[in-house]
Amino acid sequence: MRGFGVHTSMWTMSWDRHGCELAVQKARDYGMDFLEIALLDPPAVDAAHSRQVLEAAEMRAVCSLGLPEECWASRQPDKAIEFLTVALDKTAAMGCEALSGVVYGGIGERSGQPPSETELDNVARALEAAARHAKSLGLLFGIEPVNRYETHLINTGWQGVAMIERIGADNMFVHLDTYHMHIEEKGIAQGVLDAREHLRYIHLSESDRGTPGAGNIAWDEVFAALRAIGFDGGLAMESFINMPPEIAHGLSVWRPVASGEAEVMENGLPFLRNKARQYGLIG
């Protein structure tokens, strides 16, 4: 999980044969180091085909997801374990390096109250079992804190750290996202500083989830903080261009956030690469 990558939402949210071939080719064309695969329906994935396409393109990959409502760990830890086990098996079978994202719950999961001890106990039990299974497969396993409108469970870098340290699994890591940090942290650099011992992956996402550099994210603060902690993990551009209705609903995206792929990849990608190069995070 090193270098510069891109989330498959740039081209597809359906990881079928067509989506796989399209995203891998596009990522290769743009010179990406890795691809982040949205693993929304793990049982349906043709892992052998994905591995073949990824290996042929010499494209490294990680996977990410959110849990479906029937498997929310806070309520149904055993079902969450079952779902994550299948997802981890698929991740390994595709030859990917890690599974991350909202692995502790659903995108749009809110109780209307702060997380209860019972909910956090359930989440910890599910994540501990999943991390153990991930380690048996040689995989890293990440937690992505997301904003208060998408979950009530883990919103900040320090909350992600607290869950990882509670579980104590050495293959777990914090996965930050600048969009969520912009909303939740006390200064956007704070999440990076709080998570520094466990931070191995970050989503570079604009304040409106559109074209990086065209919104309100304090990019110099983000990259300066990453440099200050000696970050050498994965830098993944995430802009939502292609989303099915159920994902758009969970993310509360009701209008186009960019005109299309060309705007994001031809303007946003060079902007982020230049910032990462300026701060010595890539060569």
Side-chain angles (χ1 to χ4, degrees):
M1 292 197 310
R2 300 185 69 178
F4 220 93
V6 62
H7 193 283
T8 55
S9 59
M10 182 59 54
W11 301 290
T12 182
M13 289 294 280
S14 299
W15 196 251
D16 52 19
R17 284 178 167 241
H18 172 72
C20 169
E21 292 168 8
L22 172 65
V24 171
Q25 184 59 56
K26 288 283 192 176
R28 186 179 183 185
D29 290 345
Y30 282 107
M32 310 309 295
D33 297 309
F34 68 88
L35 191 62
E36 181 181 330
I37 298 166
L39 200 61
L40 302 184
D41 186 9
V45 170
D46 185 338
H49 172 263
S50 295
R51 186 173 195 133
Q52 180 182 31
V53 172
L54 288 164
E55 289 181 349
E58 298 183 334
M59 181 62 60
R60 294 183 291 114
V62 300
C63 294
S64 61
L65 54 75
L67 298 178
E69 186 169 358
E70 65 272 17
C71 300
W72 286 355
S74 64
R75 303 178 187 175
Q76 301 284 351
D78 291 329
K79 289 185 178 180
I81 292 168
E82 291 174 10
F83 186 89
L84 290 168
T85 297
V86 172
L88 287 162
D89 288 342
K90 290 287 186 175
T91 299
M94 286 191 287
C96 301
E97 301 174 19
L99 177 67
S100 189
V102 191
V103 295
Y104 51 86
I107 299 172
E109 176 185 0
R110 300 182 303 275
S111 68
Q113 299 291 330
S116 69
E117 285 305 312
T118 297
E119 287 177 319
L120 293 177
D121 287 347
N122 287 340
V123 167
R125 181 160 73 86
L127 294 183
E128 182 178 15
R132 189 183 314 117
H133 186 62
K135 188 168 185 177
S136 75
L137 298 171
L139 295 174
L140 297 172
F141 185 56
I143 292 177
E144 180 185 9
V146 299
N147 71 79
R148 68 191 70 185
Y149 308 110
E150 294 180 30
T151 186
H152 66 294
L153 295 169
I154 300 177
N155 305 127
T156 66
W158 69 263
Q159 286 178 302
V161 168
M163 181 58 68
I164 287 173
E165 294 186 346
R166 172 177 179 168
I167 294 168
D170 62 7
N171 63 322
M172 291 188 72
F173 63 92
V174 173
H175 160 181
L176 291 180
D177 183 311
T178 54
Y179 169 79
H180 303 297
M181 294 157 65
H182 177 69
I183 297 171
E184 296 296 340
E185 301 291 351
K186 295 185 181 299
I188 198 164
Q190 192 62 51
V192 173
L193 299 177
D194 286 344
R196 62 191 306 161
E197 299 299 327
H198 299 280
L199 182 60
R200 302 185 69 168
Y201 197 78
I202 187 166
H203 277 163
L204 304 175
S205 185
E206 193 47 89
S207 57
D208 65 349
R209 298 188 183 270
T211 305
N216 297 319
I217 295 296
W219 290 109
D220 285 298
E221 291 184 35
V222 171
F223 284 103
L226 291 172
R227 179 174 179 172
I229 68 166
F231 180 79
D232 65 352
L235 299 154
M237 185 176 74
E238 183 187 46
S239 297
F240 289 106
I241 305 299
N242 296 286
M243 288 187 296
E246 63 272 20
I247 301 300
H249 179 268
L251 298 176
S252 298
V253 175
W254 313 117
R255 56 183 169 75
V257 295
S259 61
E261 172 191 341
E263 177 187 341
V264 177
M265 299 303 290
E266 295 174 17
N267 296 328
L269 177 59
F271 172 84
L272 290 175
R273 277 184 164 148
N274 287 338
K275 285 293 181 188
R277 192 172 293 112
Q278 175 187 347
Y279 285 91
L281 298 178
I282 62 174

